Amino acid sequence: MALHLRGTLLPDGTVRDLWILGDRITFERPSVEAETVADGGFLLPGLVDVHTHPGAPSEDEPRWDPEAFGEQIAAHRDAGTTALRFPGLLGEIPPGLRDAPDAPRMITAGRWLAWAGLSRSADFHLVTDDLVAAAVAEAKAHDGWCKLMGDWDFEADPVPYDLLRAVTDAVHAAGGRVAAHCMSAQGVLSAVRAGVDSIEHGMAMPEECVELMAAHGTSYVPTLTAFARRAPQIIDNPRGRLWHEGHGVMIRRVREAHDAGVTVLAGTDSAPFGNVATEVEHLIAAGLPADAAVGAASWTAREFLGLPGLTEGGLADVTVYDADPRREPAVLRHPRRIVLRGRVLRR
């Protein structure tokens, strides 16, 4: 049996009927019987969190736990998040879970990669002298992405630019993409100049990076939720004041990046899992237009990850809301229907 939905399709805003056959969307009425599962409301391509790290029992226990991973991706799914990108995991996705019929679509970058000369490199999952070879290997093994630690924090020395460029060129030559964790001004600048595909965090991002990102097609994933959560815990001392200064800079860069044509995306990097609606709200508070902020967690993010939206033949991930989330972003917390992989998870 097919599924039938009617409502206002986003982002184009037209009222249409669509049908789901298996894991695909069609706008042509099928010859088989169809069950109507939504009549009215707003139909959104399933939500996406492009920066999340499930798999640890808690923030105080940074170890791989397959059971915790399953519970945490289920929390994402139950909130209407139908696709996830993991820029760094402590372990491998359990067999069978990636393609489970009720599991969000998953894209992983494998392990965090740190150059052996990086400050505090022992904190990361894979430390290597041959960062180029390691990055290519992780990208080939993990959905075309690798996760590179461009620096440690906002006061640390970054990975040298020449090495970043060599990594990026090699990964691109292998058909992959590079996500770069950057917290220092020089770390962001070096990564952007090297042509990485996404800047994760971007604390203290120099102003010149905005035009460079636009020119190179580098996306920006500020993970504002994680920083807002941490801000009240920062001690008022010289280091703490530098932290808050860098935090303020990254918030300003969100709107500047959008205005320059940079793709800004929603990633939480923070518990509780299934909280990408909060990131949308932070993006709006930072000055991103509401439609761009919602798109950062939906149609724009899906395009970035190569996941078709509400198009003919697109993937059957649809979340239905009673109100337009571009005008009432809080509605993202309350999906009326969730369709994932062509199955209704919430009726």
Side-chain angles (χ1 to χ4, degrees), residues 49-54 72-73 76 81 83-89 107 112 200 223 266-274:
D49 189 332
V50 302
H51 190 125
T52 181
H53 304 290
Q72 291 158 4
I73 66 165
H76 277 296
T81 309
L84 306 167
R85 183 185 65 144
F86 310 132
L89 279 182
I107 295 173
W112 287 267
E200 314 293 317
T223 64
T268 57
D269 191 28
S270 177
F273 296 90

Side-chain angles (χ1 to χ4, degrees), residues 152-221:
W152 165 243
D153 71 4
F154 58 95
E155 291 185 304
D157 292 332
V159 176
Y161 165 75
D162 289 343
L163 180 54
L164 280 175
R165 182 61 184 268
V167 168
T168 304
D169 287 350
V171 172
H172 286 173
R177 294 199 278 181
V178 180
H181 164 111
C182 299
M183 298 281 283
S184 67
Q186 187 56 51
V188 181
L189 181 58
S190 294
V192 171
R193 288 179 58 215
V196 301
D197 299 278
S198 68
I199 294 292
E200 314 293 317
H201 317 306
M203 197 175 200
M205 180 188 293
E207 186 175 0
E208 65 186 290
C209 288
V210 172
E211 294 300 330
L212 286 171
M213 291 169 73
H216 293 166
T218 302
S219 297
Y220 184 28
V221 188

Side-chain angles (χ1 to χ4, degrees), residues 88-106:
L89 279 182
L90 292 170
E92 295 294 333
I93 298 172
L97 188 55
R98 177 188 287 270
D99 297 319
D102 61 348
R105 303 180 197 273
M106 294 177 251

Side-chain angles (χ1 to χ4, degrees), residues 26-116:
T26 181
F27 296 102
E28 299 292 332
R29 183 188 296 272
S31 58
V32 298
E33 183 180 355
E35 175 191 2
T36 298
V37 296
D39 189 357
F42 291 81
L43 278 54
L44 190 71
L47 293 177
V48 182
D49 189 332
V50 302
H51 190 125
T52 181
H53 304 290
S58 71
E59 293 179 334
D60 298 328
E61 294 183 84
R63 60 178 177 82
W64 180 245
D65 183 333
E67 184 176 348
F69 178 84
E71 292 171 352
Q72 291 158 4
I73 66 165
H76 277 296
R77 175 203 65 209
D78 293 345
T81 309
T82 62
L84 306 167
R85 183 185 65 144
F86 310 132
L89 279 182
L90 292 170
E92 295 294 333
I93 298 172
L97 188 55
R98 177 188 287 270
D99 297 319
D102 61 348
R105 303 180 197 273
M106 294 177 251
I107 295 173
T108 177
R111 298 170 288 185
W112 287 267
L113 300 177
W115 174 51

Side-chain angles (χ1 to χ4, degrees), residues 255-334:
R255 179 59 190 250
E256 294 169 358
H258 169 76
D259 289 347
V262 174
T263 297
V264 178
L265 299 169
T268 57
D269 191 28
S270 177
F273 296 90
N275 200 29
V276 76
T278 298
E279 185 68 13
V280 171
E281 292 167 356
H282 282 303
L283 291 172
I284 292 171
L288 206 66
D291 61 339
V294 175
S298 179
W299 55 84
T300 305
R302 295 183 74 89
E303 181 179 3
F304 172 73
L305 295 175
L307 302 173
L310 304 184
T311 60
E312 182 66 36
L315 295 173
D317 301 335
V318 188
T319 312
V320 184
Y321 298 94
D322 289 323
D324 188 342
R326 299 170 301 179
R327 294 175 174 79
E328 299 181 37
V331 78
L332 290 174
R333 301 180 183 278
H334 306 288

